[in-house]
């Protein structure tokens, strides 16, 4: 294609700042490193390991040499002296390596072979406007030669200064003469102060908007427009007009390749954004290119561009995120797909193992960091509720901290879950978004999840987060199965830590302590036994709840390798959720439980339920719990609002919705006040004033929104405050130091606790293993799967309960469940048995399919209790 022309702009001595001099010096050194790596110093006896003339030096291609030159500059590596044989003159070097050896402004080399006369070569163009692009395009179309426009595009889009000045909103900011440029420089000095004032005003507006509640209790995204100097719509029109031309597309691609090394230097060493906030225009303009997802860009330009973007300071990243949040869904989706495709393209193009981790791939890491900006833009642009936060209770301290401190140790996660810096800068959490512009699931990258070694990533996340990148700092890109594996490692390490601390206590105090959380309970008194034991542990030392759980049923011989614990959880929940006890109410239409506001049970009972849920997560057990989603939102820190009534109290929600939509005279027709009535445990009516003297305040068209908001707050928060606080206290006793909150969304927490109701037995068959002489081709195994597949939904759940201890699929589906079918002797009248601890089914080799089905149905229908075989 045509080569680009270059024009050195006029600069007065006043504009030669120290930053420009530093930039020129840095580029000069990097050029020398590059030539040293590619050509050597010419000294045959050179001993510099970073020189191509050194014996044993491995040759590098130009791309690898460019990257290595940057690294050598950063580490101030040794430079060989110049040698005439290697460097005959500077001009020849520039001709050989234009990428690195442009002028001090990063421009491409000049050429004399112009197709147009000087008057039509547009050398006086130092920046671009929409009008100027169309003017040059019109001339090129008339000549049927696009070379001049290609050179202008290449020159401006490969130069940071030119791109920053291009496509400005205010035409006065485009100096065309020397006098105008001098005036523009004076205005720029005042502009920084204006930017600071504007930023402060935006922050104040954001804080004010967060305190305003909408009609439904949710705050809308009322962030003021983000002020940038670039005319984004003009940039989009220019791209749409030019990218249809193949030569133009190549010009943009090559210009971006030339631009990025200089931008990276600027951001790494010169703090250019602090001195010129308009430097952000480069990233705004480039990201409007709709061809960034093409293979050429993904291979040549986007890796380094993403690396540049990730080096932007935090305020710049936050401003870019706020700007993108105001884009349409189509534009946000295009950016998301660009970064996702870059990650996928890089992952499938490389092979990773324990020695070469995906965490060490700079391209994937940089793309993930850029995708984080789009993710938070998606959150900010969605339906936000930044208010309605549950008050956090102080975490209970345990006595073992004193011993740890005496031993010179400290809990690495004692301060609780970490807060993402960008999240803090934006003042918004993923939890605050009720409905994002793009579903959260679309940000998950499955190829990345497939190659991620979670044990290593977890280590980086917990121990080495400063020097190593962990994808758990971008949890949106991980699926629930991968995140649950990270949580599993965290829980297991905590269990090991508690055993270690117990051993140290034994040495210091001279008495033998139990390194496990052991519960011995009676089946017919399971609540009393569990409540007394767990309440005692919670009072004396809550840290013991983070020990590995072992349950023993009195009078039974079962050894708890996981299966006994599963049944313990199931029996406790069956008892607690029994309607006769009155702790929870049950809705026949939704099949969900809710706290009984009139419950006579004390707080300890609700605390026990919370502890059980926490222990289930901690010990990797799935529970048969039926709560509405608002319970998990409240556990994660958000209060319930009117919108949460949709699944917890659907009939009430529909009534309130009709009240909001009613077009008649609300006060006369409805005849309701701010006093509401409910029935207690014994069926007697009780009243509650949503406002002071509520019985005297009629609901009308003006205050009905307030009525709906207060009604929802009462039902979901105030009426069950005592019960829920006790419940959450128990839950946090176990999970307070866990990364649960920073990794999982409420719907994922539900999946973690309850598993999936979707049972894919075909996936289970594909992953099942066989032992004792069985294989997938045996007659009995074929008969077995035909029988199981013929079961109804209820029998399938009974089978799953019998074999694994739960009728739910784990996170990721039944395909993640490793079931074993082992031979248990020849044909017999004995029933099949199971080891729920190991998901193992012991199946005799029955002589007929009919007998197999009869014996199996009887086993799964009447299974209860544990014994030793």
């Amino acid at each position: 294609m045509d080569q680009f022309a270059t024009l050195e702009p006029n600069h007065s001595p006043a504009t030669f700042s120290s930053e420009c001099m530093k930039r020129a010096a840095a580029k000069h050194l990097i050029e020398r490193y590059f030539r040293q790596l590619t050509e050597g110093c010419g000294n045959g006896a050179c001993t510099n390991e970073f020189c191509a003339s050194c014996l044993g030096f491995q040759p590098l291609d130009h791309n690898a040499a460019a990257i290595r030159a940057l690294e050598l500059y950063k580490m101030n590596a040794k430079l060989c002296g110049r040698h005439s044989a290697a460097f005959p003159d500077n001009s020849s070097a520039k001709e050989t390596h234009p990428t690195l050896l442009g002028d001090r402004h990063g421009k491409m080399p000049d050429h004399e072979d112009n197709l147009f006369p000087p008057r039509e070569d547009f050398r006086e163009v130092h920046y671009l406007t929409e009008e100027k692009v169309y003017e040059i395009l019109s001339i090129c179309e008339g000549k049927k030669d696009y070379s001049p426009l290609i050179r202008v595009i290449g020159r401006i889009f490969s130069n940071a200064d030119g791109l920053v000045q291009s496509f400005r909103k205010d035409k006065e900011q485009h100096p065309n003469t020397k006098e105008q440029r001098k005036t523009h420089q004076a205005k720029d000095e005042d502009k920084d102060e204006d930017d600071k004032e504007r930023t402060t005003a935006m922050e104040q507006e954001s804080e004010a908007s967060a305190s305003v509640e909408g009609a439904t209790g949710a705050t809308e995204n009322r962030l003021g427009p983000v002020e940038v100097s670039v005319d984004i719509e003009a940039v989009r029109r220019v791209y749409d007009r030019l990218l249809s031309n193949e030569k133009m597309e190549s010009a943009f691609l090559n210009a971006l390749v030339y631009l990025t090394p200089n931008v990276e230097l600027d951001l790494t060493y010169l703090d250019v954004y602090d001195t010129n906030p308009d430097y952000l225009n480069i990233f705004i303009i480039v990201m409007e290119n709709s061809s960034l997802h093409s293979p050429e860009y993904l291979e040549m330009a986007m890796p380094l561009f993403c690396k540049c973007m990730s080096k932007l300071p935090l305020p710049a990243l936050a401003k870019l995120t706020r700007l993108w949040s105001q884009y349409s869904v189509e534009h946000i989706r295009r950016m998301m797909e660009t970064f996702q495709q870059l990650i996928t393209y890089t992952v499938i193009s490389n092979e990773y193992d324990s020695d070469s981790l995906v965490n060490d791939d700079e391209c994937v890491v940089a793309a993930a960091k850029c995708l984080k900006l789009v993710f938070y833009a998606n959150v900010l642009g969605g339906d936000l509720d930044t208010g309605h936060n549950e008050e956090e209770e102080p975490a209970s301290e345990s006595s073992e901290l004193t011993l740890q401190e005496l031993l010179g140790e400290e809990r690495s996660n004692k301060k609780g879950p970490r807060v993402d810096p960008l999240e803090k800068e934006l003042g918004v959490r993923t939890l605050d978004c009720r409905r994002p512009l793009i579903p959260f699931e679309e940000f998950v990258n499955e190829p990345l999840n497939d190659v991620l070694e979670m044990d290593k990533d977890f280590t980086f996340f917990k121990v080495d987060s400063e020097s190593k990148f962990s994808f758990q700092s971008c949890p949106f890109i991980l699926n629930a199965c991968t995140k649950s594996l990270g949580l599993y490692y965290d829980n297991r390490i905590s269990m090991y830590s508690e055993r270690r601390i117990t051993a140290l206590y034994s040495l210091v105090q001279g008495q033998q302590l139990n390194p496990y959380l052991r519960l011995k309970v009676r089946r017919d008194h399971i609540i009393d036994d569990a409540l007394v034991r767990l309440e005692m542990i919670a009072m004396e030392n809550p840290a013991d709840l983070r020990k590995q759980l072992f349950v023993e049923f009195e009078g039974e011989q079962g050894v708890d390798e996981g299966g006994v614990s599963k049944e313990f959880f199931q029996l406790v929940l069956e008892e607690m959720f029994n309607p006769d006890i009155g702790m929870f109410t049950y809705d026949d239409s939704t099949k969900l439980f809710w706290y009984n506001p009139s419950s006579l049970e004390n707080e300890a009972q609700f605390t026990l339920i919370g502890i059980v849920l926490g222990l289930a997560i901690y010990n990797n057990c799935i529970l048969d719990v039926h709560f509405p989603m608002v319970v998990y939102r409240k556990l994660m820190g958000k209060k319930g609002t009117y919108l949460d009534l949709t699944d917890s109290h659907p009939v009430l929600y529909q009534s309130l919705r009709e009240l909001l939509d009613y077009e008649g005279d609300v006060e006369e027709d409805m005849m309701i006040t701010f006093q509401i009535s409910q029935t207690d445990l014994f069926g007697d009516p009780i009243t509650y004033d949503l406002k002071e003297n509520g019985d005297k305040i009629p609901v009308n068209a003006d205050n009905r929104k307030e009525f709906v908001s207060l009604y929802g707050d009462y039902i979901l928060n105030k009426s069950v405050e005592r019960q829920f606080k006790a419940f959450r206290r128990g839950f946090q006793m176990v999970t307070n130091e866990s990364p649960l909150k920073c990794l999982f969304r409420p719907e994922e927490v539900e999946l973690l606790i309850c598993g999936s109701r979707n049972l894919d037995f075909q996936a289970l068959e594909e992953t099942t293993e066989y032992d004792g002489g069985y294989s997938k081709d045996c007659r009995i195994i074929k008969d077995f799967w035909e029988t199981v597949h013929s079961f109804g939904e209820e029998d399938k759940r009974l089978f799953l309960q019998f074999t694994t201890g739960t009728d739910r699929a784990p996170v990721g589906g039944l395909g993640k469940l490793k079931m074993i079918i082992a031979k248990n002797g020849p044909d017999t009248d004995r029933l099949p048995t199971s080891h729920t601890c190991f998901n193992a089914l012991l199946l005799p080799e029955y002589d007929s399919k009919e007998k197999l089905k009869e014996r199996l149905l009887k086993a799964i229908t009447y299974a209860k209790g544990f014994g030793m075989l």
Side-chain angles (χ1 to χ4, degrees):
M1 70 171 280
D2 297 300
Q3 292 179 324
F4 302 135
T6 302
L7 180 62
E8 180 75 29
N10 270 329
H11 287 283
S12 64
T15 62
F16 245 117
S17 63
S18 60
E19 285 79 6
C20 290
M21 296 176 66
K22 289 179 183 177
R23 182 192 299 180
K27 290 179 180 177
H28 177 69
L29 284 173
I30 293 172
E31 291 167 9
R32 290 189 60 189
Y33 281 121
F34 181 82
R35 291 198 298 273
Q36 181 174 287
L37 289 167
T38 54
E39 301 174 11
C41 66
N43 181 5
C46 180
T47 58
N48 184 358
E49 61 177 321
F50 304 122
C51 179
S53 297
C54 177
L55 185 65
F57 180 84
Q58 296 294 326
L60 301 173
D61 60 34
H62 284 176
N63 287 336
I67 296 171
R68 187 62 174 153
L70 285 172
E71 295 172 351
L72 295 180
Y73 172 78
K74 295 175 185 177
M75 59 189 288
N76 196 22
K78 179 182 177 182
L79 267 172
C80 295
R82 294 179 180 273
H83 193 279
S84 57
F87 304 108
D89 58 57
N90 193 45
S91 61
S92 65
K94 285 192 176 184
E95 290 173 4
T96 306
H97 307 296
T99 305
L100 283 174
L101 306 182
D103 61 32
R104 60 187 174 80
H105 293 282
K107 295 182 176 180
M108 299 182 189
D110 199 3
H111 297 277
E112 299 299 331
D113 52 339
N114 297 316
L115 297 177
F116 278 67
R119 61 186 176 87
E120 292 183 349
D121 205 31
F122 308 106
R123 289 174 175 265
E124 77 285 355
V125 177
H126 307 296
Y127 59 88
L128 287 175
T129 64
E130 184 179 13
E131 295 77 13
K132 178 59 70 175
V133 171
Y134 294 158
E135 176 189 333
I136 301 174
L137 180 61
S138 178
I139 295 173
C140 291
E141 289 174 342
K143 299 280 188 178
K144 299 190 183 304
D145 189 335
Y146 293 91
S147 301
L149 180 56
I150 288 173
R151 285 194 289 269
V152 171
I153 292 294
R155 176 159 51 82
I156 300 301
F157 273 75
S158 65
N159 173 257
D161 295 338
L163 202 53
V164 167
Q165 293 296 329
S166 295
F167 304 106
R168 293 293 188 96
K169 291 179 181 177
D170 186 356
K171 292 183 179 180
E172 289 184 2
Q173 295 181 9
H174 296 297
N176 294 313
T177 67
K178 292 182 180 179
E179 291 74 15
Q180 288 175 328
R181 281 197 289 270
K182 288 180 181 178
T183 304
H184 178 63
Q185 290 164 10
K187 289 182 178 180
D188 271 348
E189 294 176 0
D190 296 330
K191 186 176 181 299
D192 288 344
E193 293 298 324
D194 295 337
D195 282 339
K196 291 179 181 178
E197 293 175 4
R198 185 162 56 240
T199 302
T200 303
M202 281 180 55
E203 290 174 352
Q204 292 173 348
E205 183 178 356
S206 176
E207 292 173 2
S209 68
S211 64
V212 179
E213 293 182 11
T216 63
T219 57
E220 299 293 334
N221 182 12
R222 298 191 181 90
L223 286 174
V226 179
E227 294 293 335
V228 291
S229 58
V230 63
D231 188 341
I232 298 173
E233 291 301 324
V235 174
R236 290 173 180 171
R237 289 191 295 268
V238 168
Y239 273 127
D240 288 342
R241 185 85 177 269
L242 298 184
L243 286 177
S244 58
N245 186 310
E246 185 178 343
K247 291 184 177 180
M248 294 296 176
E249 188 170 353
S250 298
F252 285 117
L253 171 61
N254 290 333
L256 184 56
V257 172
Y258 276 75
L259 173 70
T260 45
N262 300 298
V263 172
E264 184 184 13
L265 282 174
D266 289 344
L267 292 170
T268 304
Y269 300 108
L270 300 181
D271 299 326
V272 287
Y273 180 78
D274 295 335
T275 57
N276 181 18
D278 286 337
Y279 201 83
L280 199 63
N281 290 3
I282 294 174
F283 299 92
I284 297 172
I285 293 172
V286 170
M287 285 305 300
E288 290 302 324
N289 187 336
S290 58
S291 298
L292 294 180
H293 64 279
S294 66
E296 294 80 10
Y297 277 95
L298 296 181
E299 183 175 358
M300 299 173 59
M302 287 304 292
L304 190 52
F305 178 75
C306 288
K307 189 177 178 182
C308 291
M309 187 184 294
S310 66
K311 288 181 178 292
L312 282 168
L314 187 59
L317 295 174
K319 185 174 182 179
L320 200 57
T321 302
R322 292 190 184 100
L323 174 68
W324 288 348
S325 73
Q326 298 169 358
Y327 284 10
S328 67
V329 176
E330 291 74 20
H331 282 92
I332 295 178
R333 185 182 297 277
R334 178 180 58 78
M335 291 189 291
M336 177 203 71
E337 291 175 349
T338 296
F339 295 126
Q340 286 279 40
Q341 287 179 23
L342 177 58
I343 294 171
T344 301
Y345 175 82
T346 307
V347 166
I348 64 177
S349 301
N350 294 280
E351 292 185 2
Y352 302 99
D353 53 34
S354 57
D355 296 322
S356 177
L357 299 172
V358 69
N359 303 69
D360 298 323
D361 191 317
E362 290 187 347
C363 177
V364 176
V365 169
K369 291 179 179 179
C370 294
L371 185 61
K372 180 187 287 189
L373 307 187
V374 184
F375 175 79
Y376 279 107
N378 181 54
V379 168
L380 282 173
D383 293 338
L384 286 181
D385 177 12
T386 54
H388 303 106
N389 297 313
E390 292 278 4
E391 295 181 4
E392 292 290 339
E393 295 184 10
S396 55
E397 294 291 336
S398 57
S399 59
E400 107 267 355
L401 283 177
T402 304
L403 179 61
Q404 285 183 301
E405 291 166 355
L406 287 172
L407 295 170
E409 298 182 354
E410 188 175 348
R411 285 186 183 273
S412 60
N413 54 357
K414 184 173 66 174
K415 296 179 181 178
R418 66 190 70 187
V419 177
D420 187 274
L422 181 60
E423 188 176 273
K424 185 177 181 181
E425 182 78 10
L426 294 170
V428 67
R429 301 171 298 169
T430 305
L431 185 63
D432 295 331
C433 185
R434 285 188 167 273
R435 188 175 66 241
L437 295 175
I438 301 171
F440 289 131
E441 292 76 15
E442 293 190 31
F443 284 85
V444 174
N445 189 286
E446 293 297 345
L448 174 64
N449 281 264
D450 291 340
V451 300
L452 183 62
E453 297 200 20
M454 205 57 189
D455 54 343
K456 304 285 198 319
D457 190 87
F458 172 78
T459 303
F460 300 154
F461 182 66
K462 297 291 286 187
V463 180
D464 203 14
S465 59
E466 296 297 325
S467 59
K468 286 284 191 177
F469 178 81
S470 167
F471 286 97
Q472 291 183 75
S473 63
C474 297
F476 57 85
I477 206 171
L478 305 177
N479 57 38
C481 186
T482 302
K483 287 189 280 191
S484 67
L485 190 57
L487 188 65
Y488 172 81
Y489 287 128
D490 184 81
N491 295 341
R492 287 298 176 267
I493 288 175
S494 295
M495 291 176 183
Y496 171 78
S497 176
E498 295 303 333
R499 288 203 297 270
R500 179 170 171 267
I501 292 299
T502 301
L504 292 173
Y505 260 119
S506 300
L507 292 175
V508 173
Q509 296 182 350
Q511 59 182 358
Q512 185 64 37
L513 299 177
N514 197 329
Y516 301 101
L517 174 59
R518 292 191 179 274
L519 296 179
K520 187 172 183 178
V521 294
R522 296 166 292 175
R523 281 186 179 272
D524 52 350
H525 295 84
I526 191 167
I527 295 297
D528 295 335
D529 293 349
L531 181 61
V532 170
R533 177 69 178 136
L534 291 174
E535 191 172 20
M536 187 179 302
I537 293 171
M539 291 175 58
E540 293 179 354
N541 191 6
D544 282 355
L545 295 173
R546 291 187 285 274
K547 294 178 179 178
Q548 186 172 353
L549 177 66
F550 281 99
V551 177
E552 178 184 350
F553 285 104
E554 191 172 280
E556 299 183 20
Q557 297 175 303
V559 177
D560 191 4
E561 293 290 344
V564 182
S565 296
K566 291 177 185 178
E567 178 148 354
F568 164 76
F569 287 131
Q570 180 186 348
L571 294 175
V572 168
L573 292 175
E574 284 179 359
E575 187 76 16
M576 288 290 199
F577 286 95
N578 188 334
D580 295 337
I581 293 181
M583 291 179 64
F584 296 91
T585 60
Y586 182 71
D587 190 322
D588 290 318
S589 62
T590 63
K591 310 297 183 185
L592 298 174
F593 288 93
W594 183 248
Y595 305 94
N596 188 345
S598 306
S599 173
L600 301 179
E601 300 293 331
N602 58 36
E603 294 182 10
Q605 302 274 36
F606 290 96
T607 301
L608 175 61
I609 291 287
I611 291 175
V612 167
L613 257 65
L615 287 175
I617 292 178
Y618 200 65
N619 290 271
N620 205 33
C621 289
I622 295 174
L623 303 181
D624 186 20
V625 178
H626 304 272
F627 278 134
M629 185 55 63
V630 64
V631 171
Y632 302 101
R633 284 180 56 81
K634 286 168 71 68
L635 280 176
M636 298 293 277
K638 298 296 291 187
K639 288 185 177 179
T641 70
Y642 153 73
L643 293 176
D644 293 306
L645 294 171
T646 50
D647 59 341
S648 65
H649 300 76
V651 176
L652 175 60
Y653 171 80
Q654 187 60 36
S655 299
L656 295 176
R657 183 73 258 173
E658 291 173 358
L659 171 62
L660 289 174
D661 296 337
Y662 189 67
E663 297 180 355
D665 190 325
V666 174
E667 185 172 352
E668 291 294 328
D669 297 345
M670 299 288 189
M671 299 182 66
I672 54 178
T673 67
F674 274 77
Q675 185 180 79
I676 60 175
S677 176
Q678 287 185 307
T679 56
D680 62 14
L681 194 60
F682 304 102
D684 298 326
I686 54 174
T687 59
Y688 177 80
D689 287 346
L690 299 177
K691 296 176 68 174
E692 189 175 354
N693 298 321
D695 59 326
K696 300 178 182 177
I697 305 175
V699 176
N700 53 44
D702 295 328
N703 63 17
R704 59 181 170 181
K705 293 179 181 179
E706 181 186 13
F707 172 80
V708 167
S709 179
L710 291 175
Y711 204 147
D713 181 53
Y714 172 75
I715 294 296
L716 298 178
N717 302 311
K718 292 182 177 178
S719 66
V720 295
E721 183 175 13
R722 176 181 66 88
Q723 294 89 334
F724 178 76
K725 277 190 173 182
F727 172 79
R728 185 182 62 179
R729 189 183 309 119
F731 184 77
Q732 290 182 341
M733 283 180 184
V734 187
T735 64
N736 191 53
E737 294 183 357
S738 163
L740 186 73
K741 280 189 176 181
C742 64
L743 291 181
F744 293 87
R745 302 190 305 274
E747 58 270 24
E748 292 175 322
V749 174
E750 181 189 30
L751 186 63
L752 202 63
I753 294 175
C754 306
S756 172
R757 295 285 294 179
N758 183 25
L759 303 181
D760 183 0
F761 272 79
Q762 192 64 44
L764 178 63
E765 180 181 356
E766 292 172 1
T767 57
T768 295
E769 298 176 357
Y770 304 94
D771 195 13
Y774 282 160
S775 71
K776 65 178 181 179
D777 298 321
C778 292
R779 176 198 59 80
I780 182 71
I781 296 301
K782 291 181 179 179
D783 290 345
F784 169 81
W785 285 115
E786 288 177 7
T787 301
V788 170
H789 289 312
S790 69
F791 283 170
E793 187 71 16
E794 186 61 31
D795 285 340
K796 285 182 177 179
R797 295 195 180 281
L798 287 174
F799 168 76
L800 208 57
Q801 178 77 46
F802 172 75
T803 310
T804 69
T806 177
D807 66 350
R808 301 287 187 101
V811 178
L814 285 180
K816 299 294 181 180
L817 186 68
K818 301 299 181 185
M819 190 175 78
I820 300 172
I821 300 179
K823 186 174 181 178
N824 192 24
D827 180 44
T828 179
D829 289 334
R830 288 187 296 119
L831 298 175
T833 54
S834 66
H835 293 307
T836 55
C837 310
F838 308 107
N839 303 325
L841 175 68
L842 305 182
L843 185 68
E845 193 172 7
Y846 298 113
D847 59 4
S848 69
K849 183 177 178 180
E850 292 72 23
K851 186 175 183 179
L852 167 66
K853 183 174 183 178
E854 184 268 331
R855 295 281 85 187
L856 185 59
L857 280 174
K858 183 169 288 188
I860 65 177
T861 304
Y862 298 102
K864 194 170 186 179
F866 291 87
M868 297 295 288
L869 297 177

